[in-house]
Amino acid sequence: MSTATEFTIAALILVGALFVLLGSIGLARLPDFLMRLHGPTKATTLGVGAMLLASALFFSADDNAGVSLHELAPLFFLFITAPVTAHLLAKAALHRQSTAQHAAPEGQPRDTP
């Protein structure tokens, strides 16, 4: 394995780890549900994608081996399911929030989840 390949793999792992860390911090620190949903959906997806790309490069770096395609299945699954799941969670939260606002009696403060 060449030095340039090792540096590329190390950089992808570090970038992936930073994105995962930022997504986790966003999940813990952001105030609202919809904001907390945004952090892990975007940042963690990019972080895991960078780590899977680093893994594919690492296992493809042998002289006699071809391109490693084992990482494509989890990458495809992650990039398809994470946005769909976030969209469904956001729609459910907005629906729940709107029904809670309409159900509050007159003169009383409206609680938002």
Side-chain angles (χ1 to χ4, degrees), residues 9-22 43 46-48 50-51:
I9 292 169
L12 283 171
I13 290 172
L14 285 175
V15 166
L18 283 174
F19 273 115
V20 169
L21 178 67
L22 287 175
L46 287 174
V48 173
M51 285 194 235

Side-chain angles (χ1 to χ4, degrees), residues 2-76:
S2 69
T3 306
T5 306
E6 290 178 357
F7 280 129
T8 304
I9 292 169
L12 283 171
I13 290 172
L14 285 175
V15 166
L18 283 174
F19 273 115
V20 169
L21 178 67
L22 287 175
S24 301
I25 290 172
L27 177 64
R29 300 285 310 246
L30 290 172
D32 186 80
F33 173 75
L34 296 173
M35 290 182 189
R36 282 192 304 247
L37 184 64
H38 182 73
T41 302
K42 306 296 182 212
T44 308
T45 302
L46 287 174
V48 173
M51 285 194 235
L52 284 172
L53 184 59
S55 176
L57 285 175
F58 178 77
F59 288 111
S60 297
D62 291 338
D63 294 332
N64 56 2
V67 176
S68 174
L69 300 177
H70 294 106
E71 288 80 8
L72 287 182
L75 187 67
F76 178 73

Side-chain angles (χ1 to χ4, degrees), residues 67-108:
V67 176
S68 174
L69 300 177
H70 294 106
E71 288 80 8
L72 287 182
L75 187 67
F76 178 73
F77 182 74
L78 176 73
F79 283 165
I80 294 298
T81 58
V84 171
T85 305
H87 178 72
L88 290 175
L89 285 171
K91 280 183 74 171
L94 288 174
H95 177 70
R96 184 174 178 202
Q97 186 177 23
S98 68
T99 56
Q101 286 179 353
H102 291 296
E106 285 293 321
Q108 292 184 358

